[in-house]
Structure formats: structure tokens, C-alpha cells
Amino acid sequence: MTDTATTPFRDYLRFRLSRDSEMAVTWFVDKWQSSWLFKLAAFALAGLAALWVAAWLFLASDLPEAESLIGYQTPLPTVVRGIDGEIVHSYARERRVQLQFGDFPEPLINAYISAEDKTFFSHGGVDFPGTVNAVFDYATKYGSGERAVGGSTITQQLAKILLLGDEYSVTRKLKEMILASRIEGVLSKQEILELYLNEIPLGRRSFGVQAAARAYFDKDVGDLELHEAAFLAILPKAPERYGRKGQEQAAIERRDFVLAQMADNGFITEAERSAASAKPLGLARQRSERSADAGYFLEEVRRQLIEDFGESAEDGENSVYAGGLWVRTSLDVGLQNAARDSLRRGLLRYHGGRAWTGPIATINMDDGNWAGQLASSYLSISYEDWRVGVVTQRSGSAATVGFADGDEAPLSNLPDALKAGDVIAVSPQGNGFRVRTIPEAQGGMVVQNAQTGRVLAMQGGFDHRLSDFNRATQALRQPGSTIKPFVYATGLDNGMTPSTEIDNSSYCYYQGRQLGQKCIRGGRAGQFPMRYGLEQSQNIMTVQIGMQAGMENVVETIEKLDISDDPDPFAATALGAEESTVLRMVSAYSALANHGRLNKPTVIDYVQDRQGRVIWRADDRACNGCNMPEYDGSAMPRFGIKGVQAMDARTAFQTMHMLEGVVTRGTATVLSDLGLPLFGKTGTTTGPKDVWFVGGTQRLIAGVYVGFDNPRNMGGYAFGGTIAAPIFKDLIENSRDRWTALPAIAPEGIRMVRVNRRTGKRVLDGWPTGDPRSDIIWEAFKPDSEPERATRQDEIAAKRDEILNLIRDSRRAVAAGPERAEGQPADFVEEQGGIY
């Protein structure tokens, strides 16, 4: 039945098409031959059709694909978290925060629809009545230089923002309309709104409504009031205008218009509109910063991220300034603040009453706009109530200082060399400001977890806003006597013990044909146990140990612990002549505390992409069995040991144990009243040009140095024990909750033996006491290396040598004159300056 019925219909349809097309052709030929008006009309229609096809090909052929928005990734900044998971910083050139559609509050969505596109949910991408109005406005303003109204829908604006750019032309408008229609075909209305509200530029370097809410009101979008949401909705028309000073009335008028539109569209009641219109703009003058004052640490993190992932979107999908990374760091904000403040106070103490050190920078006042020049320099300071300003004028004893916001005030405490154009630090005084001095001496400080290698704090100078040169990682300095523990460790690895007696009288060695023989003298003459040489930082004993153990072996120890690059096997190396950094020295001391295991210092724990997937982590140890589907009853899986065994665990503990004596009775006794099981070593280089202290507990290690960026003499009173060690002490006093009083744990194979610290001999008839000056102490030995028991003759000989040495010291002091005898302490231990 169906086939029979269908066949006649198909034949009929075919017949009608054939007949009608023949009739149409015949009609067209007849008209063409008989009427010239018909010919003209046909030519016009053909031309219009050709023109339409050409225009379409011109506008649409090279348009971006609307499908590219389906998987579009908003360029997002990198967010940095500290050790506790709290946000401490973000790396951003633009303020951007990506939200889901459900995160946008309904009043905010309604405000934007009322302000920008009230027919958004009904049109197909183009609002034709609005477009006609825009064309009429464009025609009336053509040639006047005045910009016409846009008439663009939200979808058209999205096409402009993401795919076309902001060119002002009819061509761009037509392309925008074509793309808008295509976008409506591939994205839902909610997806279009989500992209739009995340991408729209809204001024103050903000893109998207969440970033704008933080920039203008210091709030999240969910906390905005109605009048604030309406204000954000006026910004697409003039993003850099309405938030400026002096434009408050224009902003209020435009905001109230949006509120009226919301009421007309039924989104709010008349009472709500009236209440919102009565409120002031309430713009925040300054948004609260969610950034720790840890510029040197955060810059080190940024440098490593750029090295691994690239800087901008062109470098890859996980770039620092577009990839939306989440970075977990080891930054301990409390320790960082303590390290920053301790180093600053130490630098200011050293500077003391010295003269003004000169301007931070200079500005050419003849160029005008000194406020703009100061603002563009990005120089600032975060210390107490200090500020950075520029001297705007100087006349005798009167001067004024100006700031980046254009304000000026009287200036006092004027150095003679101060002149107009000098950028300086100032602090409030009375109705004006007084000149402050930035310490010329600088320094670096690092705090590290000894067991993991995680860097917890890093300060590379007085303030990173004044100088971004990180002296904790970039300044190559001679470590002086802080290198000595590793010389002693080499001696312990080559048959010596803490009780091995070393000659401290003098040491001479041949330096070659041109330099001849070099002799090192000074200190207390005689034979002393190795411990004494380390506690009292004896140069002669250190060189003796290095030469006896073999300087090639000392160099090997230094290289294994990554202290210095390509050190030379010379005597001066044993006294700290090779260059290193604070970070590398702290890492090496951490190996001493960690039973000889060296961990690479890290500032980043792991990195996640914008979806939360971990794409990099510092701890790459495998955990076999951690992801088994079911527990099989065997021992719980554990990570392997972290780090590389860079030295014998027993040697590391022996060295650390001897370094505890540096704190209790050696060159760092300023730390002895802290009540912690501290170990460490001071260092003072020749000049002295640099002063050091590195040490800590078995859990935390910190290191600090102070010196001039262009090394020069710091003064005869500058020592590691008097300048650097007090900075370390200040750090502990201001972060006491981070430091544990638990004693150090010895590794397997260590035997604790009672010895006489003066002779190194074993003691069986006495016990150590809490007195640091007690003769009997516990000493750490490897098996079968314990010393013999002391005899009565040994004690008599030791006492005789001590009396003779005191007599010699007294005669030297008298020979040196009264000034030296009174000004230099009897137990002065770094007479040689630490380096030869």
C-alpha cells in the first residue's frame, strides 16, 4: 500500500519541478529580451549577492573558532601557600580569580544583565533593536571624533574580549556579531555568563568580578551589598574612569541608573532600589594585602618556578603568570618575621652612631613630576613607621620631603650632603619627618630544617624593597672559621679522635718558589686536644689537622657537602678562604645535625596545577605499598631515608658534639644562657671583612653573616661572636616556640666516655657536672678509639703547661702595651682573623 501510494506522488512532484523550472527559465528569457529595466534589476541583484558573498568571506573566513571557548582556560596568577597552608602571596601582573557560575550571587548577575544586556536570556547572540540604535548613533556621530554607543550584547562583548580585541571599527562590529551567533551555538547561557564575569576588564588591573570586588571594596563577591554589586556593573562602560578620585558623582549617577534598571526589570523592589541609592560608593582606598613580608624567600620561589614552568602563557600551560598554579612552600611566617627583624636589628646595632650613608637613589627634579618618578621606582620600606620619600627642596637648614602620593612635609635631622632629588628613608617627627639611615653593612640569614632540608626562613638584606639582591643565596663570601668543623671532621675520618693532641705552637709550610715558606703563629702554645682547637677556633691546630689528614681529603669533604665549588687543597682553604653562601653553609651544618645525611635545600614542597593535580614535588621518595588496594597485614609501608649520606654518621655526631662546646665555653658563649642544646661556630674573616655564625639544634639550623656588599674592613672590634652570634640569639628569643630543648640523639656506634677536656684523657673517678668550666665532660668516640685513663703524672704535667702558658700570655700582653693588654680579653681566640 505504501509503495503504491508513494510512487504516483514522486512522479507528480518530478513532473511539477520539471515543468515549473522550464516555465521559470522561459519567463526569465522573455523578460530579459523584452525589458531593459528587468536587465538592470537582475544585474543589481546579482551584484548585491556577489557583494554579500564577498563580505561574508572577508569577515568570516579568518575568524577564530568559537569552539575554542569550550575548553578555554582563564589566565590565572600563581597562588603561594606557606608551611601551614595559608596563602602568603600570589604572582600576578593582573588581578584575576576564576569562579564557577554557581559562585556568582544572583544580585550581581542581575545587575550586569540590567546594565549590559537585559534581553540576554532571549536573544541568539545579537540584539537587533539595540544594534539598529547603535548604527543610528554611529551615523549621527560620524566624523565628530565622539565614540558611539556600543549596542553589544554580553555575548558580543565576550567575543571581543577573548577572540577579537578592542579595535573601534564597523568591521570589528560585524565580526563580533558573527562570532556571537557562533558562540551561542556552542556554549550555554550560563557558560557564557561564567566566562564573561571572569574575564571582563574592570579597572585597577582587575579582570573579572571577584578580582574587582577585592580591588574596589576589599570583599569577596558573596559579601557584596546591592549598591556595591550595581557599582561593579557600571565598570564595563568605563573601567578606568568611575573608580578614580574626582569621578564620584558620575559613578553614583551611573550606579543609580543600574539600580533603576534592576527595579524596572523586576529584579529588586522599589524600596530596595531607594535604600541602595541612598548609600555612598564606599570604595576602599587600599585593599588588604594577603602577602607575607618575605620578599627574598618569595623571589627565590618565583625564580625556581620560572625556571621549571616558564613565565607567561607562551611558555606553557603551567606558567607562573597564567597557569593558575598552587604552590606549597616551606615558608614559616613566624620564623621569617623573627629572622627578618633579628637581622635588621643586628645591622642597625652595628651601624650605631655612624654618619648618614647617602641616598637610596636619586631623582632628576628638572624633569618634573617627582611624585610619578618616585612611584615608578617601586622603592619602599617596611620597617616600623619608616617611609621612602624624595627631598623636594633644600635650603640651608630647611628642607621638605615628598611622597609618591604627592604629599609634602617638613624634613629635619638633615645631613650636610643631603640635596634635592635624593631618595631617602624618613620617619615621623612632630609635624614633619626626620632623615633615617639605611645601614650600609648588609647580610643574609637562613633557617633550615636539618632533617628535611626545607628552608623555613630566608632574609637576604635589610629590605627587599630597597635591594632585591639576595645575600643569602647570591652573595659569595669567605666563611672564615665556620669552615673549621669540616676540617676537624676530616681529621676524625682519618684516625683522629676528639682527644687527639695537636700542636698549637706554630706551623710552617712551603708555598712554592715565589712565595717561599709561610708560618702561622699565635694562640696558646703547647699540645691540646682536638676539642680545644675547635672550641677556641685555633688556626694553627686547624691547619695542623688539615695537613695531617691531607688537604685533598679536606677538599673532598667540602665538595661532598656542597660548601664550595672547586676548592683548592691549600692551607688557607682550611681557614675559610674559599667562597660559599649562607644557604650552602647552613645546609652543610644541617648534615652534621642529621647524622651526616645531606638534603638539598628546598623552598618549594610541591606544585599543583589549576585542577589540583600535583605536577612537581621536592620529596621524590617512593613509598612502596602505600597505594595497595587492601592491607595485607604486613608492616606498614614507609618512605625511605631522605638525603644522601655525605659523611660518616658517627663523625658528624662527634663534630656536632664538639661544637656544643663552642657555645658553652668557646667563642659563642653569648648563646649559653638560652638553655637549649645548641651547637655552632663563629667565623671572622681577614680584615675583618665578614662575621659569621652558623649553628642550632639537631632539628633547626640557622646561619647569618654580616658584611659590606663591596667587602672592606668592618673594624677591629667586629667578630662573629660579638655581631653575628647576637643576631642568632635574637632570632631564637623571638621564635622560642619553634626550638626544642630535647638533647641530640647519637647514631649507632657512638660511645659516650668521661674525659678530662684539658688533657683528653679518660676519667673513671669523677662525673660531669652542669658547670661548663668543669674539667670532666662527656666525649663521643667511635668504638675502640677511646683514650687511655689519665694518670697523676698527666694531671701534673697538664697543670704545669697551663701555668706556663698563662705566664707567656701575660708577658705578650705587657709587650703589646697597656692599650692592647686592657682592650683585648685574655681568652681572645680569633687573633689571626680566621683567614691567611
Side-chain angles (χ1 to χ4, degrees):
M1 286 291 293
T2 304
D3 291 342
T4 304
T6 302
T7 301
F9 176 74
R10 288 178 178 173
D11 293 341
Y12 174 74
L13 181 62
R14 189 180 297 111
F15 167 73
R16 287 297 305 266
L17 289 173
S18 175
R19 187 192 69 176
D20 292 348
S21 61
E22 289 177 358
M23 292 177 61
V25 170
T26 302
W27 176 84
F28 183 84
V29 171
D30 290 342
K31 289 292 185 180
W32 182 269
Q33 292 175 347
S34 61
S35 174
W36 65 272
L37 287 175
F38 181 80
K39 287 183 180 181
L40 186 64
F43 277 121
L45 287 174
L48 287 174
L51 183 63
W52 172 258
V53 171
W56 178 264
L57 291 175
F58 172 73
L59 292 172
S61 61
D62 62 343
L63 286 179
E65 294 292 335
E67 288 78 4
S68 64
L69 296 182
I70 295 176
Y72 176 78
Q73 297 282 6
T74 300
L76 293 175
T78 289
V79 178
V80 183
R81 296 183 183 273
I83 197 170
D84 57 358
E86 292 295 322
I87 294 176
V88 295
H89 193 63
S90 67
Y91 303 117
R93 296 194 174 111
E94 300 167 341
R95 296 188 177 113
R96 291 181 182 268
V97 180
Q98 186 176 22
L99 299 180
Q100 306 268 333
F101 181 77
D103 297 326
F104 299 114
E106 188 174 353
L108 182 68
I109 294 174
N110 294 336
Y112 272 90
I113 289 175
S114 299
E116 296 295 316
D117 188 0
K118 66 180 180 180
T119 62
F120 173 73
F121 285 104
S122 60
H123 64 63
V126 179
D127 178 13
F128 288 103
T131 302
V132 171
N133 178 60
V135 170
F136 177 78
D137 191 62
Y138 179 82
T140 58
K141 293 178 179 177
Y142 183 77
S144 67
E146 187 179 354
R147 189 166 182 138
V149 297
S152 295
T153 64
I154 284 177
T155 314
Q156 287 177 261
Q157 292 182 54
L158 183 65
K160 177 182 70 173
I161 295 168
L162 296 184
L163 300 175
L164 290 176
D166 199 25
E167 176 193 359
Y168 180 61
S169 67
V170 175
T171 302
R172 195 265 297 162
K173 201 69 169 179
L174 294 173
K175 289 182 178 182
E176 186 183 285
M177 295 169 67
I178 296 170
L179 265 180
S181 299
R182 292 180 178 179
I183 290 172
E184 293 274 352
V186 297
L187 297 178
S188 67
K189 290 290 186 178
Q190 287 77 10
E191 290 171 330
I192 292 170
L193 262 180
E194 179 180 312
L195 276 175
Y196 174 78
L197 293 176
N198 278 323
E199 293 293 329
I200 185 73
L202 297 173
R204 295 194 181 183
R205 294 174 46 239
S206 301
F207 290 77
V209 293
Q210 168 61 19
R214 297 294 305 179
Y216 288 98
F217 299 108
D218 201 17
K219 294 181 179 180
D220 295 321
V221 289
D223 299 326
L224 293 175
E225 298 181 40
L226 178 59
H227 70 284
E228 294 168 336
F231 173 83
L232 294 186
I234 75 175
L235 295 174
K237 295 296 183 185
E240 296 298 338
R241 176 189 174 193
Y242 291 123
R244 288 184 178 178
K245 188 176 181 180
Q247 297 294 328
E248 292 84 359
Q249 188 57 40
I252 289 175
E253 290 175 1
R254 178 65 184 172
R255 181 203 67 181
D256 292 349
F257 168 78
V258 172
L259 290 169
Q261 290 293 104
M262 293 179 72
D264 291 344
N265 294 333
F267 293 137
I268 59 175
T269 64
E270 182 60 29
E272 290 173 324
R273 183 207 65 78
S274 178
S277 296
K279 293 189 175 182
L281 288 178
L283 302 185
R285 295 195 62 181
Q286 186 174 1
R287 66 192 296 260
S288 60
E289 291 295 331
R290 302 175 70 182
S291 180
D293 189 6
Y296 292 106
F297 188 106
L298 295 169
E299 177 58 24
E300 183 69 14
V301 172
R302 189 186 77 95
R303 184 190 64 78
Q304 293 186 20
L305 289 173
I306 290 177
E307 183 177 330
D308 291 339
F309 300 106
E311 185 172 359
S312 58
E314 293 76 16
D315 299 320
E317 62 178 352
N318 293 320
S319 63
V320 173
Y321 288 99
L325 302 178
W326 289 85
V327 182
R328 186 65 167 261
T329 71
S330 54
L331 176 65
D332 184 320
V333 175
L335 266 176
Q336 174 64 39
N337 291 341
R340 178 200 64 212
D341 295 342
S342 299
L343 181 61
R344 285 177 173 175
R345 283 191 287 264
L347 296 176
L348 288 169
R349 277 197 306 270
Y350 171 73
H351 183 81
R354 289 180 178 83
W356 185 59
T357 57
I360 300 169
T362 57
I363 284 178
N364 188 347
M365 302 298 287
D366 295 334
D367 290 346
N369 191 22
W370 53 262
Q373 292 183 65
L374 182 61
S376 63
S377 72
Y378 297 107
L379 291 171
S380 63
I381 191 169
S382 176
Y383 178 72
E384 295 183 348
D385 55 359
W386 292 19
R387 297 178 65 182
V388 168
V390 59
V391 180
T392 54
Q393 58 178 344
R394 169 75 188 271
S395 177
S397 59
T400 56
V401 61
F403 301 101
D405 58 6
D407 292 342
E408 290 186 78
L411 186 63
S412 60
N413 191 36
L414 307 181
D416 292 339
L418 189 74
K419 62 184 184 303
D422 286 346
V423 178
I424 58 173
V426 298
S427 65
Q429 185 179 57
N431 296 324
F433 292 83
R434 65 179 308 225
V435 178
R436 289 291 190 176
T437 299
I438 302 296
E440 189 176 5
Q442 290 286 345
M445 193 172 200
V446 171
V447 184
Q448 183 179 30
N449 185 305
Q451 273 66 53
T452 64
R454 299 166 80 194
V455 176
L456 307 177
M458 178 186 295
Q459 185 70 13
F462 189 83
D463 197 311
H464 70 95
R465 301 164 187 82
L466 301 176
S467 169
D468 58 5
F469 179 64
N470 190 342
R471 296 159 188 86
T473 61
Q474 295 175 296
L476 291 171
R477 316 292 290 209
Q478 293 176 325
S481 294
T482 57
I483 200 70
K484 290 177 180 177
F486 307 101
V487 179
Y488 282 69
T490 307
L492 293 172
D493 275 337
N494 286 272
M496 299 182 188
T497 75
S499 291
T500 298
E501 291 193 330
I502 309 294
D503 182 38
N504 194 39
S505 301
S506 65
Y507 185 80
C508 298
Y509 60 98
Y510 186 66
Q511 299 185 106
R513 190 172 180 180
Q514 292 183 336
L515 298 177
Q517 182 168 274
K518 173 74 173 182
C519 289
I520 306 174
R521 297 183 176 87
R524 293 178 63 185
Q527 298 280 332
F528 298 95
M530 178 187 280
R531 167 180 283 277
Y532 173 84
L534 188 55
E535 288 182 354
Q536 303 300 327
S537 196
Q538 297 296 298
N539 289 336
I540 296 172
M541 292 180 66
T542 303
V543 174
Q544 292 270 24
I545 292 169
M547 291 300 186
Q548 291 180 32
M551 283 305 301
E552 293 80 6
N553 295 325
V554 172
V555 164
E556 184 179 356
T557 300
I558 291 173
E559 290 178 331
K560 281 184 177 179
L561 293 167
D562 194 33
I563 294 173
S564 185
D565 297 324
D566 196 25
D568 295 315
F570 302 148
T573 299
L575 299 175
E578 298 290 342
E579 292 180 330
S580 186
T581 66
V582 178
L583 181 63
R584 296 172 80 170
M585 291 303 298
V586 168
S587 177
Y589 274 71
S590 294
L592 294 178
N594 194 30
H595 293 172
R597 295 195 72 84
L598 179 68
N599 290 302
K600 181 181 179 182
T602 60
V603 293
I604 301 173
D605 291 343
Y606 58 85
V607 180
Q608 296 169 282
D609 65 13
R610 66 173 70 210
Q611 279 79 37
R613 294 186 296 264
V614 176
I615 58 177
W616 184 91
R617 62 188 178 103
D619 190 349
D620 57 358
R621 292 175 294 169
C623 185
N624 298 325
C626 285
N627 296 321
M628 65 174 64
E630 293 183 9
Y631 177 52
D632 60 4
S634 61
M636 293 297 290
R638 298 181 183 277
F639 287 105
I641 301 176
K642 197 173 187 292
V644 177
Q645 196 69 47
M647 65 190 305
D648 187 297
R650 299 167 302 174
T651 298
F653 183 82
Q654 285 179 297
T655 307
M656 184 185 72
H657 188 62
M658 288 191 292
L659 287 171
E660 290 179 355
V662 174
V663 175
T664 56
R665 55 186 162 268
T667 59
T669 54
V670 67
L671 307 174
S672 61
D673 61 351
L674 289 172
L676 293 174
L678 296 172
F679 76 95
K681 186 71 186 74
T682 57
T684 308
T685 64
T686 298
K689 294 179 180 176
D690 295 302
V691 291
W692 289 74
F693 180 82
V694 186
T697 65
Q698 204 168 37
R699 179 175 173 268
L700 292 182
I701 302 295
V704 59
Y705 95 87
V706 174
F708 295 101
D709 285 343
N710 294 315
R712 69 173 191 262
N713 196 313
M714 296 182 66
Y717 56 89
F719 305 109
T722 58
I723 294 178
I727 295 175
F728 176 85
K729 183 177 185 179
D730 193 359
L731 165 71
I732 293 181
E733 289 176 338
N734 288 280
S735 59
R736 189 57 184 255
D737 59 325
R738 305 295 201 276
W739 302 81
T740 177
L742 294 175
I745 299 174
E748 186 178 355
I750 282 292
R751 298 183 179 181
M752 302 303 293
V753 177
R754 288 170 289 162
V755 302
N756 185 306
R757 66 179 179 87
R758 299 182 186 278
T759 65
K761 298 293 184 179
R762 190 169 187 170
V763 174
L764 297 178
D765 56 353
W767 293 91
T769 67
D771 183 4
R773 298 294 178 181
S774 172
D775 286 348
I776 302 176
I777 63 170
W778 289 108
E779 193 63 273
F781 293 93
K782 298 172 185 175
D784 301 324
S785 68
E786 300 92 333
E788 297 178 354
R789 179 181 178 182
T791 66
R792 181 61 178 167
Q793 292 300 320
D794 293 327
E795 295 176 2
I796 294 172
K799 200 65 176 176
R800 182 186 66 239
D801 291 341
E802 183 178 355
I803 293 172
L804 290 174
N805 286 326
L806 288 173
I807 294 172
R808 293 190 189 101
D809 291 342
S810 177
R811 288 175 176 173
R812 287 178 190 161
V814 172
E819 181 179 352
R820 179 179 177 87
E822 294 173 8
Q824 179 172 292
D827 60 346
F828 177 57
V829 296
E830 297 196 12
E831 183 177 357
Q832 304 301 321
I835 285 183
Y836 287 86

